[in-house]
């Protein structure tokens, strides 16, 4: 049972677990005996989704307004069926009281605990994104209105746009992170917003067929009703709050407050010789800080003392023995707190074109070359 943010727990079939028979012999786990055949290309994209969003924000004009929406696939892995006959690899015995009849469960869909489920699912979700991108390219007004499109159009900023625009030229960006479809559009009319929303949801349903019962539809109706699929200028995506007006981002408030509280607790006990930090907790929190520093320029440099501790993997981390680590943790807390009041411009996180370019070379006689202006004016200089 795995803790879950929207309910007490989520049941996951542990297919890495070996079975020990009464005779003492061990049966290898399903994951150990799996031949890896799923396409790896799609899952390789997971670590790049956030960077692509940051770059899209950074390239937008200062006066542009970026509308954003999120569309979630409900019960993702369970939307993919096993090949006929392969479902027995996922069979398990349902726990029951001693003496009761044995009840066998045979799932017919991919399980979260299977090593090949993520790459297979990501291949399907990436395909749906590609289909959605093709729909987005077709002429405005030609897409059939999707049954859920009303949930994308309810924001006041969208309603303030004119119904149509004289220009059909608008910019959009579509991405997917596992089961979360992320749509962004620099639009000047409601028609353009509706077009992008229709394209995403139609593309998803082309790969994950719609259900007649909206509550069981692959597109999570529950999250659409919560407003996640509503096109707006402010949206939480991949643990960060994005502002489509100012082109800024910051760590989601709940995660930000959690990190500040933990760091405060650690720093308060820094002088204690007995109150060490369990290594598992230290490693977990530092990984969350590392993720959060994607929106804080210069923050990653503070992780060096942490990386050295993690490399040694002690049972407990004692701050009174490591002043550099303690100082780094204090600075981390300061940066995270400051970022709360001053969200980071996405342009500050992306390296732009150089202001000056040049060529140099060296030989036994010395060094020479030239410099010319690129982003800024500069008198061509030879040295």
């Amino acid at each position: 049972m795995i803790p879950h943010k929207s309910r007490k727990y989520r049941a996951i079939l542990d297919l890495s677990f070996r079975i020990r028979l009464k005779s003492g012999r061990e049966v290898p786990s399903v994951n150990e005996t799996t031949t890896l055949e799923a396409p790896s290309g799609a899952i390789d994209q997971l670590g790049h989704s956030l960077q692509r969003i940051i770059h899209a924000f950074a390239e937008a004009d200062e006066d542009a307004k970026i509308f954003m929406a999120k569309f979630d696939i409900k019960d993702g892995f369970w939307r993919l069926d096993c090949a006929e006959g392969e479902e027995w690899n996922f069979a398990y015995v349902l726990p029951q009281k001693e003496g009761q009849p044995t009840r066998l469960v045979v799932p017919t869909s991919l399980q979260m605990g299977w090593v090949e489920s993520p790459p297979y699912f990501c291949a399907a979700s990436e395909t749906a994104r590609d289909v959605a991108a093709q729909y987005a390219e077709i002429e405005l007004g030609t897409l059939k209105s999707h049954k859920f499109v009303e949930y994308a159009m309810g924001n006041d900023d969208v309603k303030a746009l004119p119904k149509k625009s004289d220009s059909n030229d608008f910019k959009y960006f579509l991405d997917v992170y596992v089961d979360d479809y992320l749509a962004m559009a620099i639009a000047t009319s409601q028609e353009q917003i509706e077009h992008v929303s229709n394209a995403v949801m139609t593309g998803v349903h082309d790969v994950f067929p719609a259900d007649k019962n909206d509550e069981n539809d692959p597109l999570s109706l529950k999250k659409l009703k919560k407003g996640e699929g509503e096109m707006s200028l402010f949206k939480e995506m991949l643990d960060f709050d994005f502002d489509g007006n100012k082109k800024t981002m910051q760590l989601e408030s709940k995660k930000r407050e959690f990190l500040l509280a933990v760091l405060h607790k650690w720093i308060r006990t820094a002088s204690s010789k007995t109150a060490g930090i369990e290594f598992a907790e230290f490693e977990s929190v530092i990984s969350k800080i590392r993720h959060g520093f994607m929106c804080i320029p210069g923050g990653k440099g503070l992780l060096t003392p942490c990386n050295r501790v993690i490399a040694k993997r002690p049972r407990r981390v004692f701050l009174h023995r490591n002043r550099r680590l303690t100082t780094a943790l204090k600075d981390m807390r300061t940066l995270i707190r400051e970022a709360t009041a001053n969200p980071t411009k996405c342009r500050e996180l992306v390296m732009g074109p150089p202001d000056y370019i040049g060529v140099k070379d060296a030989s036994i006689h010395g060094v020479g070359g030239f410099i010319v202006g690129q982003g800024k004016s500069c008198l061509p200089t030879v040295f």
Side-chain angles (χ1 to χ4, degrees), residues 38-52:
S40 60
I43 200 168
D44 290 342
Q45 297 297 313
L46 287 185
H48 304 290
S49 295
L50 182 58
Q51 286 290 355
R52 288 195 290 265

Side-chain angles (χ1 to χ4, degrees), residues 293-338:
F293 275 175
M294 290 192 72
C295 72
I296 300 180
K300 291 182 180 179
L302 297 174
L303 293 170
T304 301
C306 305
N307 296 336
R308 290 172 179 166
V309 171
I310 291 173
K312 295 178 180 178
R313 303 190 68 82
R315 290 203 305 175
R316 297 179 73 86
V317 179
F318 292 94
L319 297 183
H320 75 279
R321 300 175 184 173
N322 195 330
R323 289 187 178 180
R324 288 186 178 180
L325 176 60
T326 304
T327 301
L329 294 176
K330 290 179 180 178
D331 291 341
M332 287 179 195
R333 189 168 186 271
T334 299
L335 280 180
I336 295 172
R337 191 171 58 241
E338 288 297 318

Side-chain angles (χ1 to χ4, degrees), residues 356-362 367-374 378-383:
Y356 309 100
I357 60 174
V359 175
K360 70 173 183 177
D361 197 7
V367 179
F370 67 87
I371 301 173
V372 296
Q374 177 77 357
C378 172
L379 183 68
T381 304
V382 180
F383 62 92

Side-chain angles (χ1 to χ4, degrees), residues 162-212:
K163 291 289 184 180
K164 292 189 176 184
S165 173
D166 294 335
S167 172
N168 290 333
D169 184 23
F170 70 102
K171 296 179 180 179
Y172 71 90
F173 175 81
L174 307 179
D175 211 325
V176 60
Y177 183 83
V178 190
D179 59 353
D180 281 336
Y181 287 86
L182 311 168
M184 299 185 293
I186 300 176
T188 55
S189 71
Q190 295 182 36
E191 183 183 38
Q192 294 169 355
I193 294 288
E194 185 174 352
H195 179 77
V196 172
S197 303
N198 280 328
V200 175
M201 292 188 283
T202 304
V204 169
H205 275 163
D206 277 4
V207 176
F208 302 96
D211 196 293
K212 292 181 180 179

